[in-house]
Amino acid sequence: MVSTKTSIGAFDFDNCLMNAAGVYCMTRKELEAIESSAAGSFVTKTGTLEARAGNPEPRYSNTDWGSINSMGLPNKGVDYYLDFVTELQEEGGHKNHFLSLVGMSPEETHTILKKVEASNYNGLVELNLSCPNVPGKPQIAYDFETTDAILSEVFSYYTKPLGIKLPPYFDIVHFDQAAAIFNKYPLAFVNSVNSIGNGLVIDDETVVIKPKNGFGGIGGDFIKPTALANVHAFYQRLNPSIKIIGTGGVKSGRDAFEHILCGASMVQIGTALHKEGPAIFERITKELQNIMAEKGYDSIEDFRGKLHYL
Ligand code: SIN
C-alpha cells in the first residue's frame, strides 16, 4: 500500500501535500476548504501584529507559465489565525497545522512570537523571512546578519516548534552561509522557496500588476529548478533534525516527486492551487502515488533525498 504520510518534528501528517502561505489561506472559509480537501495540512496567510489591507489591486496575475504577485501581506492580523488554529487544536481530531507570521520589524516579530509562546497553541509556526512585496522592506533572509540576530533572539524565549520560510538563494556560497546560521538553532524546518522576488511581466506594453510599477514575486513553472536546487542544497547542508518543506513549481505528481527526491518532507502548492482550487490535492496525490507504485516505493522515506548524481 503506497503512503504519502510524513512528519515534521513530532507532528504527523497523512499526506505530504499542502497549500503554500498566501494561497487559499486568508479566511477561515478558505482554510476550511483546505482542511476538508486531500491536503495533509494547511498553513495560514502570514499574520502580522495588526491586520493589513496590503498593496493596491490588481496585485496578482496568472500567466501561461505561472504567476506574478505583489500582495503586500494583506491579512486579518495574527490573532485571527492564532485563534483559528488554537480552536482546531482544542477541538481535537483535526490535521496538524502551520501558523505563518512575521512582524513589520524585528521588534514586532518578537512581540508576535511572545504572544504565541504565551498562548495555548502548541502547533507549528512558520516565520516568514522572505516576503518580497512590502515596499521599503527587504527580504529579511537575504540579510544574514539580521537573520542570525532575529533567530538568536527568538530562541532565547521561544520554546515551541518553529521553522522559517526562505527566499530562493542563487549562489553556492550563500547556501553555505545560510545553512551555517540555520544549523545553530533548533529549527523544526526550513521552507524553500518563496517566490523569486521582483520579476516583471508585461502584456503588450504594460505591466500586469499595479504595485511597485509591476515588480512582483514570480511563481509557477519557471521557479521549479531554483526551488529544487534550494531544497537539495539545504538537504545536503542542514542538521537532519531540520526538515525541509519544498515549495515552487508544483503542479503534478512528478513535480512533488522531484521535490521529495531532493529532500523535501512536505511539499507546498501555491500558483497551481490558485488556478485549480483545493481539488488539486486529490489529483496530485494520486499522480504521486502512481509514480511511487511504478517505482516500488511504499513510503516517501524510501526515496526522500535519494537524488542520483552522474
Ligand atoms: C505577499 O503577501 O506579498 C506574498 C507573501 C509572501 O511572499 O511572503
Side-chain angles (χ1 to χ4, degrees):
M1 177 62 191
V2 171
S3 161
T4 57
K5 278 185 201 294
T6 192
S7 61
I8 302 273
F11 297 85
D12 294 329
F13 303 90
D14 282 345
N15 191 359
C16 61
L17 303 178
M18 60 181 291
N19 69 305
V23 183
Y24 256 93
C25 57
M26 182 76 84
T27 62
R28 282 181 179 233
K29 196 164 168 234
E30 287 182 341
L31 290 164
E32 276 161 4
I34 304 295
E35 182 74 3
S36 57
S37 76
S41 181
F42 68 63
V43 57
T44 68
K45 178 65 187 169
T46 300
T48 50
L49 193 56
E50 307 296 340
R52 285 173 55 83
N55 292 340
E57 297 188 19
R59 57 193 183 184
Y60 189 106
S61 180
N62 283 314
T63 66
D64 293 345
W65 44 261
S67 64
I68 182 167
N69 90 84
S70 183
M71 303 299 288
L73 294 179
N75 75 92
K76 292 181 170 294
V78 71
D79 285 344
Y80 177 91
Y81 305 105
L82 177 58
D83 288 351
F84 187 46
V85 290
T86 306
E87 204 177 293
L88 294 180
Q89 172 189 289
E90 288 177 352
E91 267 177 30
H94 294 282
K95 299 168 183 175
N96 290 310
H97 304 114
F98 295 76
L99 172 66
S100 174
L101 56 84
V102 74
M104 300 313 291
S105 64
E107 294 68 39
E108 211 176 279
T109 293
H110 298 309
T111 304
I112 296 170
L113 281 172
K114 284 176 184 167
K115 183 191 274 260
V116 180
E117 175 73 10
S119 76
N120 290 331
Y121 178 63
N122 292 316
L124 290 149
V125 161
E126 180 174 285
L127 174 59
N128 185 353
L129 298 180
S130 50
C131 179
N133 301 328
V134 181
K137 302 275 180 196
Q139 283 163 277
I140 300 165
Y142 282 147
D143 178 342
F144 291 140
E145 215 174 303
T146 301
T147 299
D148 198 5
I150 290 173
L151 292 177
S152 170
E153 177 76 17
V154 164
F155 286 109
S156 71
Y157 60 83
Y158 196 77
T159 62
K160 298 178 181 180
L162 177 134
I164 47 180
K165 177 86 175 267
L166 298 174
Y169 297 105
F170 301 94
D171 192 297
I172 298 296
V173 169
H174 292 161
F175 291 135
D176 292 340
Q177 291 172 339
I181 293 168
F182 304 150
N183 277 334
K184 296 199 292 181
Y185 301 104
L187 288 164
F189 65 91
V190 302
N191 184 346
S192 288
V193 294
N194 206 320
S195 58
I196 295 182
N198 297 301
L200 198 50
V201 174
I202 298 170
D203 181 25
D204 190 15
E205 298 186 14
T206 310
V207 299
V208 298
I209 55 171
K210 186 174 172 66
K212 295 168 69 179
N213 287 341
F215 284 66
I218 301 297
D221 299 352
F222 287 160
I223 83 165
K224 191 177 80 169
T226 297
L228 294 176
N230 276 259
V231 167
H232 199 55
F234 285 121
Y235 180 75
Q236 290 169 315
R237 288 166 176 76
L238 293 180
N239 301 331
S241 59
I242 305 178
K243 291 291 192 289
I244 298 165
I245 300 177
T247 306
V250 177
K251 64 177 187 187
S252 69
R254 174 69 205 184
D255 299 325
F257 179 81
E258 289 177 14
H259 269 271
I260 297 164
L261 198 61
C262 285
S265 291
M266 287 198 93
V267 177
Q268 295 188 344
I269 305 174
T271 296
L273 169 62
H274 189 275
K275 288 186 180 176
E276 200 172 321
I280 195 172
F281 293 110
E282 198 176 336
R283 175 177 68 76
I284 296 188
T285 304
K286 281 194 187 133
E287 290 173 4
L288 176 59
Q289 284 171 333
N290 288 342
I291 293 168
M292 289 170 64
E294 272 166 30
K295 289 177 175 285
Y297 297 138
D298 296 330
S299 80
I300 71 166
E301 289 310 310
D302 290 347
F303 64 100
R304 186 172 67 84
K306 296 181 182 159
L307 179 64
H308 298 192
Y309 306 128
L310 296 178

